């Protein structure tokens, strides 16, 4: 499923983080649950892709605005991206390129680039929105805010039982939130 979050969802999540940070920089903020299927050292994300991708994008933007922040540790696990897209290789390649080539970051802010790559469109727009949101905050707060996100935002991970019908589970879970397109449900069933 492509990344579909827009400004409204991004603003709500960032506002929630920022409000929690301002109330108490030691409080815990629970993002929600993520559902995974575990295989060796990899976890296949069944539910929570939009939130997890958003957390990665926030981490990326902050790591550029504040390179000394510990949040940059979230971007990779060992030598690999913490986030990958098995079906859409261009998304994984784009995220990898963001980390390795600073000129790619500049392309994100070009409307032509955003239009040219449809699966990257919302990711590029999210990066622009997140950067704009964070640049409105006081410079002296960015590192503390990013450390708050890294240390105090908690992900609750649930793991599926062996033998679970993942396609059925995926379709059932995604009947709330931003609705799946019928094509996404058909793809899940076919896969």
């Amino acid at each position: 499923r492509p990344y579909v979050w827009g400004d409204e969802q991004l603003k709500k999540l960032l506002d929630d983080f920022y409000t929690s940070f301002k109330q108490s920089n030691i409080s815990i903020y629970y993002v929600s649950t993520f559902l995974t299927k575990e295989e060796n050292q990899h976890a296949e994300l069944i539910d929570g892709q939009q939130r997890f991708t958003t957390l990665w994008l926030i981490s990326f933007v902050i790591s550029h605005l504040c390179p000394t922040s510990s949040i940059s540790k979230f971007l990779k696990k060992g030598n690999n991206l913490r986030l990958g897209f098995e079906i859409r290789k261009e998304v994984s390649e784009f995220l990898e390129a963001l980390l390795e080539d600073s000129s790619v970051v500049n392309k994100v802010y070009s409307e032509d680039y955003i239009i040219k790559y449809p699966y990257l469109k919302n990711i590029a727009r999210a990066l622009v929105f997140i950067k704009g949101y964070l640049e409105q905050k006081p410079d002296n707060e960015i590192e503390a805010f990013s450390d708050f996100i890294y240390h105090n935002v908690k992900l609750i991970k649930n793991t599926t039982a062996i033998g679970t019908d993942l396609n059925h589970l995926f379709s059932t879970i995604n009947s709330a939130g931003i609705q799946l397109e019928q094509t996404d449900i058909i793809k899940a069933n076919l896969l």
Side-chain angles (χ1 to χ4, degrees):
R1 180 178 184 199
Y3 183 73
V4 296
W5 272 24
D7 295 356
E8 183 180 331
Q9 292 89 1
L10 293 167
K11 183 176 183 334
K12 180 174 179 355
L13 186 65
L14 286 164
D15 282 346
D16 287 351
F17 288 175
Y18 193 72
T19 300
S20 292
F21 164 70
K22 291 302 281 183
Q23 286 175 351
S24 168
N25 65 357
I26 59 169
S27 66
I28 300 299
Y29 182 92
Y30 293 98
V31 173
S32 187
T33 60
F34 293 78
L35 184 61
T36 63
K37 174 188 172 195
E38 304 292 323
E39 265 185 45
N40 302 323
Q41 295 296 318
H42 290 87
E44 183 178 343
L45 201 54
I46 307 302
D47 185 51
Q49 173 199 338
Q50 303 297 308
R51 285 168 284 149
F52 198 85
T53 303
T54 302
L55 289 171
W56 194 94
L57 296 172
I58 291 168
S59 300
F60 174 79
V61 171
I62 291 175
S63 72
H64 275 263
L65 294 176
C66 186
T68 58
S69 170
S70 56
I71 203 166
S72 62
K73 295 175 191 171
F74 184 71
L75 298 173
K76 285 192 161 195
K77 186 174 182 179
N79 292 327
N80 299 317
L81 279 178
R82 188 170 293 274
L83 175 65
F85 292 83
E86 194 172 291
I87 295 173
R88 293 188 176 83
K89 295 293 183 200
E90 70 271 19
V91 175
S92 292
E93 289 168 3
F94 174 72
L95 297 178
E96 199 61 70
L98 281 173
L99 294 178
E100 295 173 4
D101 183 359
S102 59
S103 69
V104 173
V105 176
N106 297 330
K107 289 180 185 178
V108 166
Y109 303 108
S110 161
E111 188 66 27
D112 293 337
Y113 185 80
I114 291 171
I115 291 168
K116 185 176 177 182
Y117 297 99
Y119 288 121
L120 303 177
K121 175 180 66 175
N122 290 331
I123 290 174
R125 286 188 175 140
L127 288 168
V128 171
F129 180 87
I130 294 164
K131 183 174 187 265
Y133 181 94
L134 293 169
E135 286 176 338
Q136 293 175 11
K137 303 301 178 205
D139 288 343
N140 63 343
E141 283 186 354
I142 297 293
E143 187 165 1
F145 180 49
S146 68
D147 287 343
F148 170 82
I149 294 170
Y150 183 70
H151 294 290
N152 298 57
V153 171
K154 303 296 181 184
L155 315 175
I156 301 167
K157 184 174 83 162
N158 292 322
T159 305
T160 59
I162 296 171
T164 301
D165 180 347
L166 299 178
N167 294 323
H168 179 69
L169 182 61
F170 175 79
S171 296
T172 302
I173 289 172
N174 283 290
S175 62
I178 294 177
Q179 296 298 306
L180 289 175
E181 296 292 325
Q182 290 300 317
T183 54
D184 291 322
I185 294 170
I186 290 169
K187 281 186 225 173
N189 288 331
L190 288 173
L191 291 172

